[in-house]
Amino acid sequence: MKHIRFTDSLLRQASKGSFICRDIVVPQLQFRPAKLHGKVGYFHCLYSESGISTSKALGEYPIVGLQEVRKQARKWLVEQHAKRYKISSVERFTSVGELLDWYQSNIAQQELNSFRTIKNKSHRVESLLLPFLSDIDVSDCSSQLLDKAWLRPLNDRFSPSTLRGAFQTLKAAFKQAHGLRYIAENPLSDLNFIMLLPASIKPKRAALAGLTLNEVIKQFQHFSAPDRFLCLLCLGFLTRNTETVMARWRDFNTDQMSWNIPGEHTKTGAALTLPLSTHSLKWLSDYKRQQRRYCRSRFLFPVKQGRSGWSSSYAAQRIMKASKGKFTLHDLRKYGSTYLRDSGVDYYLVERLLNHKKTHLDATYIHTTLRAPLMEVIECWHRNINEIYKISM
């Protein structure tokens, strides 16, 4: 079975070739070619838990479009996961096990949680919390008890960051139960993870930290044209791997000088529009001219004959191989954001370029008022890059 990123052209190829394939975006989504003449194929969603599998037909392609079927698949997966849990009828929780079982059923019923979020929290509860705390009374839960019954048995088996994530899930469960009056008091309200494990959890050091811009660009100037241009875009626009590698030529509006990244390509799910500088227009023009020498594709980073684009994992592997493990695409993004902040660029403008999740305060800003200051930042940043980039090329 092939794992591909579903596109209209690839699904038609799969139908002609009569092979079943799965989507990279939603791995549980499956396409099955039709056996009847005149039909293309059908979408099915697969769900497996504890050795038990089930599936659901989501519709016929192309009557049901890709965007709609992915939305249906995610919703059905969340519903299937929620069926594992029963809503608790207990008015007061006496044990931590009861509380965590209720919390699992609660998060599984919330539509705002993505399927990945639900699975991650369920894993923490089932594998890292319940086996050690299920029989403990809620009122007995204290820092001393957590240290003896939970932290010490797991400290040698898991990293501090993993244990911190499990503790945050535990604390969130207690906070929610207390807010809904399922427990009289919250014994964890004043407890922080650092009290249990004083060792600091240091973030991973950026691979390019401390280098000059000239030294950073020299790191990828010898790469092949596609790899080099991918690095240039990630550095120049602070975009993520997926946001960059899935770009199509039609996403770039040279008349309005903007790069439109659709919501399905972003981590936050929110569409992003980035201004194009005069220098980036030249970069795009030169790269497109190079690409046309060996293929014509709607993708910036095409595979083989140009019928499909790179996946984010394939792009990451290429850059890791080309750099010999010295840096990743995310390191370029981090370097660019640090460079801009150190140069005095407004924090909010850098956040918008990074496309971090908006807060309630961010939502009050009018998008059109940001274009002018963002364009000024991008133009200046790209001018600095171009002075080095054109010399090194």
Side-chain angles (χ1 to χ4, degrees):
M1 182 180 298
K2 293 187 177 182
H3 287 73
I4 60 175
R5 180 178 181 84
F6 284 179
T7 63
D8 292 326
S9 60
L10 288 178
L11 290 180
R12 293 189 182 278
Q13 288 178 30
S15 178
K16 292 179 181 179
S18 298
F19 61 85
I20 300 174
C21 52
R22 282 197 181 190
D23 189 22
I24 292 177
V25 178
V26 183
Q28 296 84 359
L29 182 60
Q30 187 182 80
F31 175 77
R32 301 176 185 176
K35 297 181 180 179
L36 297 177
H37 180 69
K39 300 288 185 179
V40 180
Y42 302 89
F43 290 115
H44 291 259
C45 193
L46 312 178
Y47 179 82
S48 179
E49 191 74 49
S50 302
I52 301 175
S53 300
T54 184
S55 66
K56 179 182 180 181
L58 298 180
E60 179 185 346
Y61 177 80
I63 297 175
V64 181
L66 285 176
Q67 188 172 357
E68 177 61 25
V69 79
R70 284 180 177 135
K71 184 178 180 181
Q72 290 183 26
R74 291 188 179 103
K75 183 178 180 181
W76 184 74
L77 289 170
V78 170
E79 291 173 353
Q80 291 300 116
H81 192 74
K83 289 180 181 179
R84 298 179 57 202
Y85 310 104
K86 296 180 180 179
I87 299 298
S88 176
S89 58
V90 179
E91 294 184 0
R92 289 276 181 171
F93 299 133
T94 57
S95 70
V96 176
E98 290 177 343
L99 190 153
L100 289 175
D101 285 338
W102 164 81
Y103 183 69
Q104 269 195 296
S105 65
N106 200 24
I107 60 173
Q109 301 291 336
Q110 295 175 5
E111 293 186 2
L112 292 178
N113 287 324
S114 68
F115 183 63
R116 180 181 295 181
T117 298
I118 293 172
K119 292 287 284 185
N120 287 341
K121 289 185 177 181
S122 295
H123 168 72
R124 291 172 181 173
V125 170
E126 294 176 357
S127 302
L128 301 177
L129 295 173
L130 278 176
F132 304 91
L133 303 175
S134 60
D135 296 329
I136 295 174
D137 289 343
V138 170
S139 57
D140 293 336
C141 209
S142 63
S143 58
Q144 293 88 349
L145 187 142
L146 287 176
D147 178 60
K148 294 178 181 178
W150 176 68
L151 187 60
R152 291 185 186 181
L154 294 177
N155 198 17
D156 294 334
R157 297 166 52 191
F158 297 96
S159 67
S161 58
T162 300
L163 296 176
R164 180 178 61 180
F167 175 78
Q168 289 171 344
T169 300
L170 178 67
K171 192 169 181 178
F174 270 78
K175 182 179 179 180
Q176 193 169 352
H178 180 247
L180 296 175
R181 301 294 184 266
Y182 283 109
I183 55 176
E185 299 292 337
N186 181 5
L188 304 184
S189 59
D190 297 326
L191 184 60
N192 295 320
F193 183 71
I194 196 171
M195 297 177 183
L196 297 174
L197 193 64
S200 60
I201 302 174
K202 297 180 180 180
K204 183 181 178 181
R205 184 180 181 273
L208 303 174
L211 298 181
T212 64
L213 182 58
N214 190 3
E215 291 170 330
V216 169
I217 293 177
K218 284 183 177 180
Q219 297 282 328
F220 60 83
Q221 69 178 15
H222 61 282
F223 290 1
S224 65
D227 294 346
R228 184 170 60 241
F229 192 65
L230 177 59
C231 291
L232 181 64
L233 289 182
C234 287
L235 177 65
F237 291 95
L238 313 188
T239 45
R240 296 181 177 90
N241 179 345
T242 304
E243 295 167 349
T244 314
V245 80
M246 294 179 64
R248 304 184 183 192
W249 288 111
R250 71 184 184 192
D251 297 335
F252 296 88
N253 190 324
T254 55
D255 294 331
Q256 297 181 3
M257 296 185 69
S258 62
W259 177 9
N260 303 305
I261 303 177
E264 56 264 28
H265 295 175
T266 66
K267 183 178 179 180
T268 60
L272 177 65
T273 300
L274 297 172
L276 295 175
S277 67
T278 53
H279 299 292
S280 61
L281 289 175
K282 181 69 166 54
W283 300 340
L284 287 164
S285 176
D286 291 345
Y287 177 69
K288 190 171 188 178
R289 192 180 307 110
Q290 284 183 323
Q291 188 189 84
R292 290 294 171 88
R293 293 174 184 172
Y294 62 90
C295 79
R296 287 181 175 267
S297 175
R298 63 181 184 272
F299 298 97
L300 266 71
F301 305 100
V303 175
K304 295 182 180 179
Q305 301 298 325
R307 296 173 182 173
S308 62
W310 294 357
S311 67
S312 56
S313 59
Y314 177 68
Q317 290 172 8
R318 284 182 66 110
I319 300 304
M320 281 294 288
K321 183 178 180 180
S323 69
K324 298 181 180 178
K326 293 181 180 179
F327 68 89
T328 64
L329 291 170
H330 191 67
D331 289 322
L332 293 170
R333 171 177 158 91
K334 287 196 289 186
Y335 180 87
S337 62
T338 302
Y339 186 98
L340 292 179
R341 290 192 177 109
D342 291 346
S343 300
V345 176
D346 183 86
Y347 174 82
Y348 180 76
L349 293 178
V350 178
E351 286 295 293
R352 293 280 48 85
L353 287 174
L354 291 169
N355 197 26
H356 284 162
K357 190 173 182 179
K358 293 181 181 180
T359 64
H360 293 297
L361 178 61
D362 297 339
T364 64
Y365 282 79
I366 301 174
H367 175 73
T368 53
T369 63
L370 292 175
R371 178 170 174 81
L374 279 176
M375 174 64 87
E376 184 178 349
V377 171
I378 287 289
E379 191 70 41
C380 182
W381 172 227
H382 287 185
R383 187 187 312 119
N384 294 341
I385 294 175
N386 195 65
E387 289 176 355
I388 303 168
Y389 186 70
K390 65 181 181 181
I391 296 173
S392 63
M393 300 310 294

